Structure formats: structure tokens, C-alpha cells
């Protein structure tokens, strides 16, 4: 090959490498921050919607609990339930009360969960009943406010 053709091949190769690098850089920026274009429109929408209502938006106080793993009350004890929960609190001072009563609260939950069978928790109605039973049990331990909702973050029956 002549020197001239080697220069042309080198220039074409460098052009391709630079093009691929530029494309990677641009695409990486879009993948890393997919909402960058929609942030401004979301902020303006939020700003306009907050101007239309005179009520302040209440921030929810959330308290996560560690995951529970218990055997279900089915015959043979072959099924187990793994549940992750988050508590929504009525006010911030309830969080301190929960921390102070955490062993009692975990005990209350651990007394409720293993008393259930697979048929008790397999459908939406059963899960809702379980949620209400746990909330009632935990609220009975609190005196300065309460738990307004309970959210299942994980619910696995095997």
C-alpha cells in the first residue's frame, strides 16, 4: 500500500472513532438523566396547580419496618409469608413513640401474621383485612397520634 492510502484509512478510522465517541457521550447524557427535559414542565405545572388551591399540601410521615418472615397457619406448616411494610403516621411525634415501642409493635405483628392461613391472605380482601388488623393492633399501643395507613412494600407467600 502506498503512503497516501494509509493516511486516508487512518483519517477515516479516526473520523469513525470520533463519531462513535460523540454519539456515546450524547446518548449517555440522555440515559443518565431521562427527566431532564420534563423537569421544567413539571415544575411549572406544580406551580400553577398550587396557585389554584389555597390548601397547603401535607407531607406524609412514613416509617419503614424491617421485613417479617413467618410460617403460615396452614396444616403441615409448609407455607411461609414474607412481608415488608411501611407505616404512614398522623404526625411526626408518633415516630418517636414507635421507636420507643418497636419491640412491642414487632411482637404484635408477629402474633398476627402467623395466625393467618394461605386462604386468609391470598386475595385482595384478605390482604385488606390483614392490613386493618395490623393497624388496629399497632394503634392500640400508641397514645400520641396514630398510624393512618399501612403500605405493603413486599408480600410473598410460598
Amino acid at each position: 500500500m502506498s503512503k497516501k492510502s494509509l493516511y486516508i484509512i487512518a483519517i477515516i478510522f479516526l473520523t469513525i472513532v470520533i463519531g462513535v465517541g460523540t454519539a456515546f457521550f450524547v446518548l449517555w447524557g440522555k440515559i443518565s438523566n431521562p427527566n431532564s427535559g420534563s423537569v421544567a414542565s413539571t415544575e411549572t405545572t406544580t406551580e400553577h396547580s398550587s396557585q389554584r388551591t389555597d390548601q397547603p399540601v401535607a407531607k406524609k410521615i412514613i416509617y419503614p419496618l424491617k421485613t417479617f418472615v413467618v410460617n403460615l397457619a396452614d396444616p403441615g406448616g409448609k407455607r411461609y409469608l414474607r412481608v415488608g411494610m411501611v407505616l404512614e403516621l398522623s404526625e411526626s411525634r408518633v415516630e418517636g413513640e414507635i421507636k420507643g415501642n418497636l419491640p412491642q409493635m414487632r411482637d404484635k405483628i408477629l402474633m398476627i401474621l402467623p395466625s393467618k392461613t394461605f386462604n386468609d391472605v391470598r386475595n385482595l380482601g384478605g390482604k385488606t383485612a390483614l392490613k386493618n388488623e395490623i393497624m388496629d393492633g399497632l394503634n392500640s399501643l400508641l397514645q400520641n397520634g396514630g398510624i393512618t395507613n399501612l403500605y405493603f412494600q413486599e408480600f410473598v407467600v410460598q
Side-chain angles (χ1 to χ4, degrees), residues 3-4 10 15 21-22 32 38 72 76-77 83-84 93 100 114-116 142:
K3 230 178 184 184
K4 186 177 181 182
T15 306
T22 304
S32 297
S38 63
L72 290 175
V83 181
R93 65 182 176 163
S115 70
K116 302 300 175 192
L142 301 173

Side-chain angles (χ1 to χ4, degrees), residues 16 26 30 34 36 47 64 69-70 73 98 117 119 131:
I16 291 172
V26 169
K30 289 186 181 203
S36 62
E47 185 177 77
V69 180
V70 297
I98 287 176
T117 64
N119 288 330
K131 180 186 288 194

Side-chain angles (χ1 to χ4, degrees), residues 63 65 68 85 87 89 94-113 134-143 145-147 150:
Y63 188 86
L65 295 173
F68 293 86
M85 294 178 267
L87 306 175
L89 311 178
V94 178
E95 187 173 356
E97 192 173 358
I98 287 176
K99 287 179 183 177
N101 291 330
L102 197 56
Q104 294 87 348
M105 297 184 98
R106 287 191 60 85
D107 178 68
K108 182 72 82 171
I109 294 169
L110 287 171
M111 297 307 284
I112 294 171
L113 291 177
I134 291 171
M135 280 180 29
D136 291 344
L138 295 180
N139 278 328
S140 69
L141 298 171
L142 301 173
Q143 292 156 6
I147 298 165
L150 182 143

Side-chain angles (χ1 to χ4, degrees), residues 12-74:
I12 291 172
F13 179 76
L14 286 174
T15 306
I16 291 172
V17 169
I18 291 171
V20 169
T22 304
F24 179 78
F25 179 77
V26 169
L27 289 175
W28 185 260
K30 289 186 181 203
I31 291 172
S32 297
N33 193 3
N35 296 327
S36 62
S38 63
V39 170
S41 62
T42 303
E43 289 174 355
T44 56
T45 304
T46 306
E47 185 177 77
H48 291 299
S49 65
S50 65
Q51 290 175 353
R52 283 183 256 156
T53 61
D54 294 343
Q55 300 174 355
V57 177
K59 185 175 180 181
K60 296 180 180 181
I61 298 129
I62 301 293
Y63 188 86
L65 295 173
K66 291 184 180 178
T67 302
F68 293 86
V69 180
V70 297
N71 289 329
L72 290 175
D74 289 318

